[in-house]
Amino acid sequence: GKLGLASSLGGLADVERSRGNLDAALAGYRRCQQIMEKIGSGSAITPRLNIGLVLLQRGDFEAARSWLDKDVAKLEKAGRKGYLGHVHTALLCAAAALGDWGGFDRHAETAKLLLASTRVVDPDVAWCAERAGELAEAAGESGRARTAFELALGQWRGLQGNERTRELEARLAGLS
């Protein structure tokens, strides 16, 4: 049925994203999301999140922030804390890129609490936190970079990403 079709489109978009074909991934996730929302599937949050991630990967930080902001209230109302942890970590990345340090602090705190309470570990969450750390470090915000890198480190440890864990531990040790 339509849900199967939408899931297949989402899977193909995942493949495109893993290959770095971000435009094709974005188109696939959008089609998947449209079908899921049309049939009223609660799973529509997954392609919505993936659209936000692709926008971040493309460097469309303002677009990513306005896209992901739309989901916060909905997810809070539905009590979907695992997804909220994802969204706040993605918004952390956007805030770092946009130099919104007040937003960075709020998203970091919220993401940290949600990820700890739900025990969610996900490579996309790790990527967002790590990217936020890189952006904060580049802006001279070493304390905030440390916060983001520690969030990423918790994710990589949970994923048994040993190589990434060692790299981040070294990076944290080098932060002033």
Side-chain angles (χ1 to χ4, degrees):
K2 286 195 188 234
L3 186 58
L5 170 64
S7 297
S8 298
L9 288 168
L12 290 170
D14 288 339
V15 171
E16 293 293 356
R17 182 161 67 111
S18 73
R19 291 180 175 160
N21 299 333
L22 300 180
D23 291 341
L26 196 56
Y29 289 135
R30 286 202 163 122
R31 190 74 191 103
C32 173
Q33 178 226 339
Q34 287 164 350
I35 294 168
M36 285 186 168
E37 285 183 352
K38 198 171 179 180
I39 62 175
S41 170
S43 301
I45 185 59
T46 303
R48 285 194 58 77
L49 254 177
N50 286 330
I51 289 167
L53 290 167
V54 171
L55 291 171
L56 288 173
Q57 286 175 292
R58 282 186 8 172
D60 296 342
F61 299 109
E62 194 58 67
R65 178 162 66 179
S66 65
W67 178 260
L68 292 162
D69 266 339
K70 296 173 188 167
D71 292 318
V72 173
K74 240 185 293 184
L75 290 169
E76 282 173 351
K77 192 175 171 202
R80 297 181 81 175
K81 291 183 177 175
Y83 282 110
L84 265 173
H86 263 258
V87 171
H88 281 288
T89 310
L91 286 166
L92 175 73
C93 180
L98 297 167
D100 172 12
W101 303 116
F104 182 99
D105 296 342
R106 281 191 308 279
H107 293 304
E109 192 56 38
T110 307
K112 210 184 314 185
L113 292 169
L114 288 165
L115 294 170
S117 72
T118 58
R119 293 195 170 87
V120 163
V121 289
D122 185 279
D124 288 328
V125 173
W127 180 86
C128 286
E130 196 168 337
R131 189 74 186 106
E134 292 165 359
L135 292 161
E137 188 178 23
E141 294 284 340
S142 59
R144 288 183 170 105
R146 175 177 301 283
T147 297
F149 286 142
E150 285 171 351
L151 202 57
L153 190 57
Q155 290 291 303
W156 287 120
R157 281 186 180 136
L159 292 159
Q160 272 95 47
N162 297 327
E163 188 183 323
R164 298 295 311 130
T165 299
R166 282 191 292 278
E167 287 171 22
L168 271 173
E169 284 168 346
R171 192 154 191 179
L172 275 162
L175 271 181
S176 50

PDB file of all heavy atoms in Angstrom, residues 146-165:
ATOM      1  N   ARG A 146      32.871  22.537  23.564  1.00  0.00           N
ATOM      2  CA  ARG A 146      33.033  21.425  24.509  1.00  0.00           C
ATOM      3  C   ARG A 146      31.676  20.773  24.813  1.00  0.00           C
ATOM      4  O   ARG A 146      31.545  19.549  24.774  1.00  0.00           O
ATOM      5  CB  ARG A 146      33.689  21.930  25.800  1.00  0.00           C
ATOM      6  CG  ARG A 146      33.795  20.880  26.890  1.00  0.00           C
ATOM      7  CD  ARG A 146      34.530  21.406  28.121  1.00  0.00           C
ATOM      8  NE  ARG A 146      35.889  21.854  27.804  1.00  0.00           N
ATOM      9  CZ  ARG A 146      36.915  21.020  27.606  1.00  0.00           C
ATOM     10  NH1 ARG A 146      36.738  19.712  27.698  1.00  0.00           N
ATOM     11  NH2 ARG A 146      38.104  21.496  27.314  1.00  0.00           N
ATOM     12  N   THR A 147      30.660  21.599  25.075  1.00  0.00           N
ATOM     13  CA  THR A 147      29.311  21.090  25.361  1.00  0.00           C
ATOM     14  C   THR A 147      28.807  20.213  24.216  1.00  0.00           C
ATOM     15  O   THR A 147      28.307  19.111  24.441  1.00  0.00           O
ATOM     16  CB  THR A 147      28.344  22.278  25.583  1.00  0.00           C
ATOM     17  OG1 THR A 147      28.784  23.010  26.730  1.00  0.00           O
ATOM     18  CG2 THR A 147      26.917  21.805  25.796  1.00  0.00           C
ATOM     19  N   ALA A 148      28.951  20.709  22.989  1.00  0.00           N
ATOM     20  CA  ALA A 148      28.460  19.974  21.817  1.00  0.00           C
ATOM     21  C   ALA A 148      29.275  18.701  21.581  1.00  0.00           C
ATOM     22  O   ALA A 148      28.719  17.638  21.299  1.00  0.00           O
ATOM     23  CB  ALA A 148      28.489  20.869  20.585  1.00  0.00           C
ATOM     24  N   PHE A 149      30.608  18.804  21.710  1.00  0.00           N
ATOM     25  CA  PHE A 149      31.459  17.624  21.511  1.00  0.00           C
ATOM     26  C   PHE A 149      31.165  16.556  22.568  1.00  0.00           C
ATOM     27  O   PHE A 149      31.189  15.367  22.269  1.00  0.00           O
ATOM     28  CB  PHE A 149      32.944  17.994  21.528  1.00  0.00           C
ATOM     29  CG  PHE A 149      33.430  18.700  20.288  1.00  0.00           C
ATOM     30  CD1 PHE A 149      34.365  19.726  20.383  1.00  0.00           C
ATOM     31  CD2 PHE A 149      32.977  18.346  19.021  1.00  0.00           C
ATOM     32  CE1 PHE A 149      34.838  20.374  19.240  1.00  0.00           C
ATOM     33  CE2 PHE A 149      33.432  18.991  17.874  1.00  0.00           C
ATOM     34  CZ  PHE A 149      34.368  20.015  17.987  1.00  0.00           C
ATOM     35  N   GLU A 150      30.873  16.968  23.799  1.00  0.00           N
ATOM     36  CA  GLU A 150      30.537  15.989  24.846  1.00  0.00           C
ATOM     37  C   GLU A 150      29.230  15.280  24.517  1.00  0.00           C
ATOM     38  O   GLU A 150      29.091  14.081  24.749  1.00  0.00           O
ATOM     39  CB  GLU A 150      30.487  16.669  26.220  1.00  0.00           C
ATOM     40  CG  GLU A 150      31.891  16.967  26.741  1.00  0.00           C
ATOM     41  CD  GLU A 150      31.915  17.843  27.995  1.00  0.00           C
ATOM     42  OE1 GLU A 150      30.851  18.371  28.396  1.00  0.00           O
ATOM     43  OE2 GLU A 150      33.020  17.987  28.563  1.00  0.00           O
ATOM     44  N   LEU A 151      28.280  16.026  23.970  1.00  0.00           N
ATOM     45  CA  LEU A 151      27.014  15.430  23.530  1.00  0.00           C
ATOM     46  C   LEU A 151      27.282  14.399  22.425  1.00  0.00           C
ATOM     47  O   LEU A 151      26.767  13.276  22.466  1.00  0.00           O
ATOM     48  CB  LEU A 151      26.095  16.539  23.023  1.00  0.00           C
ATOM     49  CG  LEU A 151      24.605  16.326  22.969  1.00  0.00           C
ATOM     50  CD1 LEU A 151      24.041  15.965  24.330  1.00  0.00           C
ATOM     51  CD2 LEU A 151      23.922  17.607  22.472  1.00  0.00           C
ATOM     52  N   ALA A 152      28.117  14.773  21.450  1.00  0.00           N
ATOM     53  CA  ALA A 152      28.472  13.868  20.352  1.00  0.00           C
ATOM     54  C   ALA A 152      29.207  12.639  20.887  1.00  0.00           C
ATOM     55  O   ALA A 152      28.938  11.512  20.454  1.00  0.00           O
ATOM     56  CB  ALA A 152      29.348  14.597  19.328  1.00  0.00           C
ATOM     57  N   LEU A 153      30.107  12.864  21.834  1.00  0.00           N
ATOM     58  CA  LEU A 153      30.883  11.771  22.409  1.00  0.00           C
ATOM     59  C   LEU A 153      29.971  10.737  23.077  1.00  0.00           C
ATOM     60  O   LEU A 153      30.152   9.530  22.899  1.00  0.00           O
ATOM     61  CB  LEU A 153      31.883  12.340  23.420  1.00  0.00           C
ATOM     62  CG  LEU A 153      32.941  11.405  23.961  1.00  0.00           C
ATOM     63  CD1 LEU A 153      33.765  10.785  22.842  1.00  0.00           C
ATOM     64  CD2 LEU A 153      33.859  12.170  24.928  1.00  0.00           C
ATOM     65  N   GLY A 154      28.970  11.205  23.802  1.00  0.00           N
ATOM     66  CA  GLY A 154      27.998  10.292  24.418  1.00  0.00           C
ATOM     67  C   GLY A 154      27.283   9.453  23.378  1.00  0.00           C
ATOM     68  O   GLY A 154      27.043   8.253  23.587  1.00  0.00           O
ATOM     69  N   GLN A 155      26.965  10.067  22.246  1.00  0.00           N
ATOM     70  CA  GLN A 155      26.304   9.339  21.160  1.00  0.00           C
ATOM     71  C   GLN A 155      27.240   8.291  20.569  1.00  0.00           C
ATOM     72  O   GLN A 155      26.860   7.133  20.408  1.00  0.00           O
ATOM     73  CB  GLN A 155      25.847  10.320  20.072  1.00  0.00           C
ATOM     74  CG  GLN A 155      24.704  11.206  20.489  1.00  0.00           C
ATOM     75  CD  GLN A 155      23.424  10.422  20.649  1.00  0.00           C
ATOM     76  OE1 GLN A 155      22.961   9.757  19.734  1.00  0.00           O
ATOM     77  NE2 GLN A 155      22.845  10.479  21.833  1.00  0.00           N
ATOM     78  N   TRP A 156      28.483   8.692  20.245  1.00  0.00           N
ATOM     79  CA  TRP A 156      29.414   7.744  19.621  1.00  0.00           C
ATOM     80  C   TRP A 156      29.741   6.591  20.569  1.00  0.00           C
ATOM     81  O   TRP A 156      29.885   5.451  20.125  1.00  0.00           O
ATOM     82  CB  TRP A 156      30.683   8.449  19.145  1.00  0.00           C
ATOM     83  CG  TRP A 156      30.461   9.279  17.920  1.00  0.00           C
ATOM     84  CD1 TRP A 156      30.649  10.625  17.787  1.00  0.00           C
ATOM     85  CD2 TRP A 156      29.971   8.835  16.649  1.00  0.00           C
ATOM     86  NE1 TRP A 156      30.306  11.036  16.518  1.00  0.00           N
ATOM     87  CE2 TRP A 156      29.897   9.952  15.798  1.00  0.00           C
ATOM     88  CE3 TRP A 156      29.578   7.586  16.135  1.00  0.00           C
ATOM     89  CZ2 TRP A 156      29.453   9.881  14.481  1.00  0.00           C
ATOM     90  CZ3 TRP A 156      29.144   7.518  14.816  1.00  0.00           C
ATOM     91  CH2 TRP A 156      29.083   8.640  14.011  1.00  0.00           C
ATOM     92  N   ARG A 157      29.856   6.897  21.857  1.00  0.00           N
ATOM     93  CA  ARG A 157      30.106   5.817  22.821  1.00  0.00           C
ATOM     94  C   ARG A 157      28.939   4.835  22.817  1.00  0.00           C
ATOM     95  O   ARG A 157      29.152   3.627  22.829  1.00  0.00           O
ATOM     96  CB  ARG A 157      30.309   6.384  24.225  1.00  0.00           C
ATOM     97  CG  ARG A 157      31.689   6.950  24.428  1.00  0.00           C
ATOM     98  CD  ARG A 157      31.893   7.375  25.883  1.00  0.00           C
ATOM     99  NE  ARG A 157      33.217   7.925  26.078  1.00  0.00           N
ATOM    100  CZ  ARG A 157      33.479   9.026  26.782  1.00  0.00           C
ATOM    101  NH1 ARG A 157      32.505   9.689  27.372  1.00  0.00           N
ATOM    102  NH2 ARG A 157      34.716   9.452  26.905  1.00  0.00           N
ATOM    103  N   GLY A 158      27.730   5.359  22.812  1.00  0.00           N
ATOM    104  CA  GLY A 158      26.541   4.508  22.795  1.00  0.00           C
ATOM    105  C   GLY A 158      26.432   3.674  21.529  1.00  0.00           C
ATOM    106  O   GLY A 158      25.862   2.585  21.540  1.00  0.00           O
ATOM    107  N   LEU A 159      26.975   4.188  20.454  1.00  0.00           N
ATOM    108  CA  LEU A 159      26.945   3.489  19.162  1.00  0.00           C
ATOM    109  C   LEU A 159      28.165   2.586  18.971  1.00  0.00           C
ATOM    110  O   LEU A 159      28.315   1.971  17.928  1.00  0.00           O
ATOM    111  CB  LEU A 159      26.905   4.511  18.013  1.00  0.00           C
ATOM    112  CG  LEU A 159      25.632   5.334  17.892  1.00  0.00           C
ATOM    113  CD1 LEU A 159      25.878   6.603  17.103  1.00  0.00           C
ATOM    114  CD2 LEU A 159      24.535   4.506  17.246  1.00  0.00           C
ATOM    115  N   GLN A 160      29.036   2.537  19.964  1.00  0.00           N
ATOM    116  CA  GLN A 160      30.313   1.839  19.857  1.00  0.00           C
ATOM    117  C   GLN A 160      31.120   2.316  18.658  1.00  0.00           C
ATOM    118  O   GLN A 160      31.774   1.525  17.979  1.00  0.00           O
ATOM    119  CB  GLN A 160      30.124   0.301  19.777  1.00  0.00           C
ATOM    120  CG  GLN A 160      30.082  -0.359  21.135  1.00  0.00           C
ATOM    121  CD  GLN A 160      28.659  -0.550  21.632  1.00  0.00           C
ATOM    122  OE1 GLN A 160      27.813  -1.015  20.897  1.00  0.00           O
ATOM    123  NE2 GLN A 160      28.403  -0.176  22.867  1.00  0.00           N
ATOM    124  N   GLY A 161      31.068   3.615  18.416  1.00  0.00           N
ATOM    125  CA  GLY A 161      31.878   4.212  17.341  1.00  0.00           C
ATOM    126  C   GLY A 161      33.255   4.534  17.892  1.00  0.00           C
ATOM    127  O   GLY A 161      33.574   5.683  18.162  1.00  0.00           O
ATOM    128  N   ASN A 162      34.068   3.492  18.075  1.00  0.00           N
ATOM    129  CA  ASN A 162      35.327   3.631  18.816  1.00  0.00           C
ATOM    130  C   ASN A 162      36.305   4.620  18.187  1.00  0.00           C
ATOM    131  O   ASN A 162      36.954   5.379  18.893  1.00  0.00           O
ATOM    132  CB  ASN A 162      35.992   2.260  18.991  1.00  0.00           C
ATOM    133  CG  ASN A 162      35.127   1.336  19.819  1.00  0.00           C
ATOM    134  OD1 ASN A 162      34.420   1.788  20.714  1.00  0.00           O
ATOM    135  ND2 ASN A 162      35.166   0.056  19.517  1.00  0.00           N
ATOM    136  N   GLU A 163      36.391   4.608  16.848  1.00  0.00           N
ATOM    137  CA  GLU A 163      37.310   5.526  16.180  1.00  0.00           C
ATOM    138  C   GLU A 163      36.863   6.971  16.386  1.00  0.00           C
ATOM    139  O   GLU A 163      37.661   7.839  16.735  1.00  0.00           O
ATOM    140  CB  GLU A 163      37.373   5.184  14.685  1.00  0.00           C
ATOM    141  CG  GLU A 163      38.435   5.953  13.940  1.00  0.00           C
ATOM    142  CD  GLU A 163      38.428   5.646  12.452  1.00  0.00           C
ATOM    143  OE1 GLU A 163      38.186   4.473  12.089  1.00  0.00           O
ATOM    144  OE2 GLU A 163      38.653   6.577  11.664  1.00  0.00           O
ATOM    145  N   ARG A 164      35.573   7.238  16.184  1.00  0.00           N
ATOM    146  CA  ARG A 164      35.031   8.590  16.383  1.00  0.00           C
ATOM    147  C   ARG A 164      35.186   9.000  17.847  1.00  0.00           C
ATOM    148  O   ARG A 164      35.472  10.155  18.145  1.00  0.00           O
ATOM    149  CB  ARG A 164      33.543   8.665  16.003  1.00  0.00           C
ATOM    150  CG  ARG A 164      33.221   8.356  14.571  1.00  0.00           C
ATOM    151  CD  ARG A 164      33.779   9.318  13.529  1.00  0.00           C
ATOM    152  NE  ARG A 164      33.536  10.710  13.809  1.00  0.00           N
ATOM    153  CZ  ARG A 164      34.483  11.644  13.781  1.00  0.00           C
ATOM    154  NH1 ARG A 164      35.727  11.337  13.494  1.00  0.00           N
ATOM    155  NH2 ARG A 164      34.190  12.884  14.026  1.00  0.00           N
ATOM    156  N   THR A 165      34.996   8.048  18.759  1.00  0.00           N
ATOM    157  CA  THR A 165      35.126   8.331  20.193  1.00  0.00           C
ATOM    158  C   THR A 165      36.540   8.815  20.504  1.00  0.00           C
ATOM    159  O   THR A 165      36.717   9.848  21.157  1.00  0.00           O
ATOM    160  CB  THR A 165      34.783   7.063  21.019  1.00  0.00           C
ATOM    161  OG1 THR A 165      33.425   6.700  20.735  1.00  0.00           O
ATOM    162  CG2 THR A 165      34.931   7.298  22.498  1.00  0.00           C
TER     163      THR A 165
END
